[in-house]
Amino acid sequence: GLIIRRTMGELRELIQRGKELYPKFDPGTKWKGEEKLFLFPSGATIEFGYCDNQEDLERYRGQQYTWIGVDELTQFDNPDMVDILCASLRTTDKTLNTYFRATTNPTGRGTRWVKSRWVDMGEPGETIAVKSKVFDKEYTVTRKWFNSTIFDNPVLMEADPLYVAKLANQSNETLKRQWLYGEWVTEGVAFDEFNRRD
């Protein structure tokens, strides 16, 4: 597997959480700091990498992953880097499925393309079928997105009860709607007064 952020520094928290969780999940799991990956007793690995530009992207070309995860997807300007990364999402092992997973907030430079690729294509939890034809053969890739808010994270709410109040007291109404309610609105977009809660 491969977990990506735009910069290596942004991976620190995820790596630390991996150091705490992976050995509990699978005793014998080791962190290989130089290679920036976790090695599991089975031989499986989860690599941590960054991708801020074309040069960074080249380090993943030709690699083979069965699982790619991107943390904070809307930090990417456009879908090009994600699409190129997904070209490495493949396997010759018929017993394995390949997966692309991403997390994000509805804010950031890539909000519009992420919204159009997932949010505008269907309701939360709905399977979205994207068909393409190559040499007279039709292929289908499925997508699905899930909406969540701070209220879906009871651990954070219990650890920091004032966090909801901090979000609710945002002076920027658009940020408040994005961060508190998980709404995919952007400033300056026509009809941004509509929301999924009404």
Side-chain angles (χ1 to χ4, degrees):
L2 173 66
I3 296 178
I4 290 282
R5 288 262 343 222
R6 281 195 66 219
T7 68
M8 197 65 202
E10 292 169 327
L11 287 165
R12 278 193 298 262
E13 182 182 353
L14 288 175
I15 291 169
Q16 185 56 43
R17 288 170 80 185
K19 287 178 180 178
E20 295 165 7
L21 295 175
Y22 291 146
K24 290 178 186 174
F25 166 74
D26 196 353
T29 299
K30 293 182 174 40
W31 168 246
K32 303 282 191 177
E34 197 167 303
E35 296 101 324
K36 300 287 187 273
L37 61 80
F38 286 95
L39 175 62
F40 295 85
S42 67
T45 61
I46 294 182
E47 178 184 345
F48 286 74
Y50 60 94
C51 194
D52 190 35
N53 54 48
Q54 190 66 34
E55 186 178 316
D56 295 338
L57 193 56
E58 289 300 318
R59 87 181 82 234
Y60 308 105
R61 191 182 299 271
Q63 302 298 313
Q64 183 171 290
Y65 302 100
T66 57
W67 186 91
I68 295 176
V70 177
D71 190 34
E72 292 299 344
L73 185 62
T74 55
Q75 287 186 347
F76 293 91
D77 296 336
N78 59 62
D80 294 349
M81 281 193 182
V82 171
D83 290 341
I84 292 169
L85 278 171
C86 283
S88 294
L89 193 58
R90 61 185 185 265
T91 181
T92 55
D93 186 339
K94 293 182 179 180
T95 66
L96 297 174
N97 292 318
T98 58
Y99 298 96
F100 171 80
R101 298 289 186 260
T103 63
T104 196
N105 285 292
T107 58
R109 55 174 76 172
T111 301
R112 289 176 193 242
W113 76 262
V114 171
K115 183 176 184 289
S116 70
R117 186 173 275 200
W118 280 279
V119 178
D120 294 342
M121 296 286 287
E123 293 299 314
E126 176 186 345
T127 299
I128 303 159
V130 181
K131 298 181 185 298
S132 58
K133 199 171 191 176
V134 180
F135 298 124
D136 296 325
K137 185 170 181 180
E138 190 170 81
Y139 296 89
T140 302
V141 173
T142 59
R143 298 179 184 154
K144 193 179 284 193
W145 72 280
F146 297 92
N147 195 57
S148 65
T149 70
I150 181 60
F151 305 104
D152 297 309
N153 191 340
V155 174
L156 179 57
M157 289 184 64
E158 186 177 314
D160 187 358
L162 291 178
Y163 187 61
V164 172
K166 293 173 197 170
L167 296 179
N169 284 312
Q170 276 289 326
S171 58
N172 182 312
E173 189 62 30
T174 301
L175 284 178
K176 184 191 319 187
R177 289 173 63 189
Q178 290 168 329
W179 291 345
L180 186 60
Y181 301 114
E183 293 181 13
W184 286 83
V185 294
T186 55
E187 291 181 297
V189 174
F191 310 117
D192 68 355
E193 65 273 14
F194 295 114
N195 63 66
R196 291 179 178 271
R197 290 175 286 122
D198 293 340

